[in-house]
Amino acid sequence: MGGTNPPLSWPNPQAGVKPTGTDRFIAAAEQNPATTAGYFDHYDYWMDMHQSADGNYWGDMLLNNPNVRATPGVWTCVEQMVKLNNPTTSSNGEHAIWLNGVKVSHLGLGFPNGRWSGGIFTQDPTGTPFQGFRWRSDINLNLNWIWLQNYSPYDPAGFTGVMKFAHVVVAKSYIGCLAQ
């Protein structure tokens, strides 16, 4: 999910480009396709994001925990929360992710502790506090889109995968997974 200013009729991620704070931000919860484990992580673009080792601004991964995974072939409840920074001069924005009702990551001003390596933040109690999110510097930049996507650049030629979505809900407060 994310925001664009001015709002568009479609997402415009602009991969590899750092947002200015007036134009766009992205707060994503997705499987990391670069790993064989396919673990879940943040993939966030914001005005104070860190530069990747290759000099670009690919989405920052902010959990970096190979034990946080969805089981292939099994329905998984994926939830996320974004709190925009207010006032726009503050870095008090937040992003949290839940899998199957279990909070697996929550970042905000001063929490959790961790270590940066390029655009990857590895959560670690012995590291330094996370600096928070300054998603925007313009009050007109708000959450205004969701995008259900599948990014699979490492699938072999001819591979056909299936991803299903059900019960997509957008809410202003936590509702939890639906009963099965």
Side-chain angles (χ1 to χ4, degrees), residues 41-44 46 60-64 95 105 107 112 116 119-123 130 133:
D41 211 320
H42 298 259
Y43 194 74
D44 293 351
W46 76 102
D60 283 351
M61 292 181 282
L62 305 173
L63 179 56
N64 198 30
H95 188 198
S105 183
L107 293 101
W116 281 100
I120 299 172
F121 182 79
T122 302
Q123 296 182 23
F130 187 73
F133 291 100

Side-chain angles (χ1 to χ4, degrees), residues 33-50:
T35 66
T36 56
Y39 62 85
F40 256 83
D41 211 320
H42 298 259
Y43 194 74
D44 293 351
Y45 282 81
W46 76 102
M47 62 185 295
D48 295 326
M49 69 185 294
H50 286 235

Side-chain angles (χ1 to χ4, degrees), residues 4 8-14 145-148:
T4 55
L8 299 171
S9 298
W10 60 88
N12 184 17
Q14 301 180 35
W145 58 262
I146 62 169
W147 186 16
L148 305 177

Side-chain angles (χ1 to χ4, degrees), residues 5-29:
N5 182 35
L8 299 171
S9 298
W10 60 88
N12 184 17
Q14 301 180 35
V17 179
K18 183 179 180 179
T20 65
T22 63
D23 58 346
R24 72 192 196 293
F25 67 89
I26 298 172

Side-chain angles (χ1 to χ4, degrees), residues 38 85 131 135 159 179-180:
N85 58 299
Q131 76 274 11
W135 296 111
F159 177 81
Q180 294 191 23

Side-chain angles (χ1 to χ4, degrees), residues 1 3 11 13 22 28-29 31 34 47 57-58 65 79 92 102 105 114-115 120 124-125 148 155-156:
M1 68 179 129
T22 63
Q31 286 185 285
M47 62 185 295
Y57 287 91
W58 307 115
N65 182 342
E79 301 167 281
N92 63 353
V102 176
S105 183
R115 301 184 193 297
I120 299 172
D124 178 351
L148 305 177
D155 287 347

